[in-house]
Amino acid sequence: MRAKITYLVTAAVLVFYFVLVGSRGVMLIQTGTVLTVTFGVAVLILPGIGLWFLWQNTQFVRKANALAALLEAEGGLPVDELKRLPSGRIDRDSADEVFAKRKAETEASPDDWRCWFRLAIAYHDARDTPRARKAMQRAIALQDGRSVEA
C-alpha cells in the first residue's frame, strides 16, 4: 500500500509540474515573437513527453498488478524462499539460486506468461531492474495473447 501511495503522490506532483510548465509554454506563445513562440512550443513538448511516459508507466503497473492478482487467484505466486541479511536485504547468493530455478522453468515453458511473471520477480530480487521490466512486459504480452519475438 505504501508503494501505491508513493506512486500516486509522485504522479500528482508530476501532473502539477506538467500543468505549470505547460502554462509557461502557453504564456511564451501568447507573447507572439518568433523566438518566444519557438520556445513556447519547445516548452509544451516536454510536458507532452512526460505525460506520455507517465501514462505508459501507469498502464504497465496496472497490467502487472492485474497479472499478480490473477496468479494469486490461481495459487501460482512464487513463494518467498529468499534468505535475508540481518539488515533485511536479500542475500545475493540466495537470489541467484532462485533466479536459476525461475530461468530453467521459463526455458522449459517459454510461452507461459506465469513463468515469465515469476522470472520477472526473480530478476527484481536479483536487482536487475531492466531485465525484470522486460520479462514482465513479455508476461503481459503473452497473457494478452500478443505475439512476442524471441
Side-chain angles (χ1 to χ4, degrees):
M1 188 62 168
R2 182 177 170 189
K4 285 183 182 182
I5 291 170
T6 302
Y7 187 82
L8 288 174
V9 168
T10 304
V13 168
L14 280 171
V15 169
F16 175 76
Y17 171 75
F18 297 150
V19 169
L20 185 66
V21 169
S23 69
R24 297 300 182 241
V26 169
M27 288 190 328
L28 284 168
I29 291 171
Q30 289 174 340
T31 303
T33 67
V34 175
L35 185 61
T36 60
V37 170
T38 303
F39 279 140
V41 170
V43 166
L44 285 177
I45 290 172
L46 293 175
I49 292 170
L51 284 170
W52 175 83
F53 180 76
L54 182 62
W55 175 256
Q56 293 296 318
N57 198 43
T58 302
Q59 292 305 308
F60 173 77
V61 169
R62 186 185 60 77
K63 289 176 183 178
N65 285 339
L67 287 187
L70 187 59
L71 201 55
E72 182 179 29
E74 294 177 357
L77 278 180
V79 177
D80 185 4
E81 54 190 299
L82 298 167
K83 296 176 185 136
R84 306 216 183 255
L85 300 173
S87 64
R89 294 188 73 163
I90 296 170
D91 178 57
R92 184 78 166 163
D93 293 334
S94 174
D96 289 344
E97 183 180 312
V98 171
F99 172 78
K101 283 196 271 185
R102 298 294 179 228
K103 185 176 180 188
E105 175 186 277
T106 304
E107 288 170 349
S109 300
D111 295 329
D112 186 0
W113 68 265
R114 294 159 188 86
C115 293
W116 282 100
F117 183 94
R118 289 187 283 265
L119 181 63
I121 300 297
Y123 271 127
H124 182 267
D125 290 342
R127 297 186 207 129
D128 192 346
T129 305
R131 286 192 177 115
R133 189 170 184 89
K134 287 285 186 192
M136 188 61 74
Q137 287 169 341
R138 189 176 200 117
I140 291 168
L142 287 170
Q143 201 276 335
D144 286 346
R146 290 184 275 133
S147 64
V148 180
E149 72 280 347

